[in-house]
Amino acid sequence: MTDAPREIEELIDLMAKLPGLGPRSARRAVLYLIRKRGILLHPLADAMHAVAVSARECVSCGNVTTSEVCDICTSEKRATGELCVVEDVADLWAMERAGVFKGRYHVLGGTLSALDAVGPEELRIPKLVARVEAEATREVILALNATVDGQTTAHYIAEELGGRCEVTSLAQGVPIGGELDYLDDGTISAALRARKAL
Ligand SMILES: [Zn+2]
């Protein structure tokens, strides 16, 4: 709590709900915004309003977009017959930053989790199966996180797609610039299993 007026208190409470920001960082951020009202607070409020009224999920892949279908799904150039399955839009953005994948995406919106009662229906997995059939997909590339839930989800999807197309997953192993001595045992054993001929 601060002694700030109610409106400012409310803004602090909302900001504190953002990932990575607690109440203390939220107070500092709000103070900073108020000091920079002209160059930061007003433009930020306008940008937030614009996104609040226009942002939505692509009906095809689950990407964040401002139209019914996102630019990647509408681009004919991306109709390569390859579908890259990711957990989250942040992962899609990471793949796009790398700039090497030329196909389309399918965003699950999470991973299967018995603990959090997340089943296939919550994850757009039935939608993925339908897309693979409708879009004559040649290959589904599973780019899921190397966590227990991520890998459980990958195996489930591979089984669901069984025979409809080729199913591959990203390699796991030594990161670029990584040193063996610093890797954990799981990473080293995954890298050894995924070894390739030179
Ligand atoms: Zn899309």
Side-chain angles (χ1 to χ4, degrees), residues 107-126:
V107 182
L108 294 177
T111 47
L112 293 173
S113 167
L115 211 61
D116 302 319
V118 180
E121 296 293 332
E122 281 83 27
L123 289 184
R124 309 165 58 90
I125 291 176

Side-chain angles (χ1 to χ4, degrees), residues 44-175:
L44 181 70
D46 291 345
M48 279 185 151
H49 177 73
V51 171
V53 296
S54 65
R56 53 193 294 189
E57 240 176 40
C58 168
V59 292
S60 177
C61 74
N63 190 9
V64 167
T65 176
T66 52
S67 47
E68 193 174 345
V69 181
C70 76
D71 289 348
I72 296 175
C73 286
T74 43
S75 165
E76 270 311 308
K77 277 196 202 136
R78 311 284 306 232
T80 61
E82 291 172 325
L83 264 189
C84 179
V85 176
V86 290
E87 286 178 24
D88 203 74
V89 174
D91 302 326
L92 184 159
W93 287 348
M95 291 289 294
E96 284 296 286
R97 277 200 305 276
V100 283
F101 179 66
K102 303 296 179 206
R104 287 178 178 152
Y105 293 93
H106 193 80
V107 182
L108 294 177
T111 47
L112 293 173
S113 167
L115 211 61
D116 302 319
V118 180
E121 296 293 332
E122 281 83 27
L123 289 184
R124 309 165 58 90
I125 291 176
K127 179 113 204 222
L128 170 66
V129 178
R131 268 188 88 186
V132 164
E133 291 191 330
E135 297 176 22
T137 305
R138 276 185 300 105
E139 181 179 353
V140 164
I141 301 160
L142 300 171
L144 302 177
N145 292 334
T147 56
V148 172
D149 283 346
Q151 295 312 298
T152 305
T153 309
H155 284 114
Y156 178 85
I157 292 175
E159 229 158 75
E160 284 294 293
L161 291 174
R164 289 182 175 87
C165 62
E166 192 180 348
V167 181
T168 56
S169 77
L170 291 189
Q172 293 174 0
V174 185

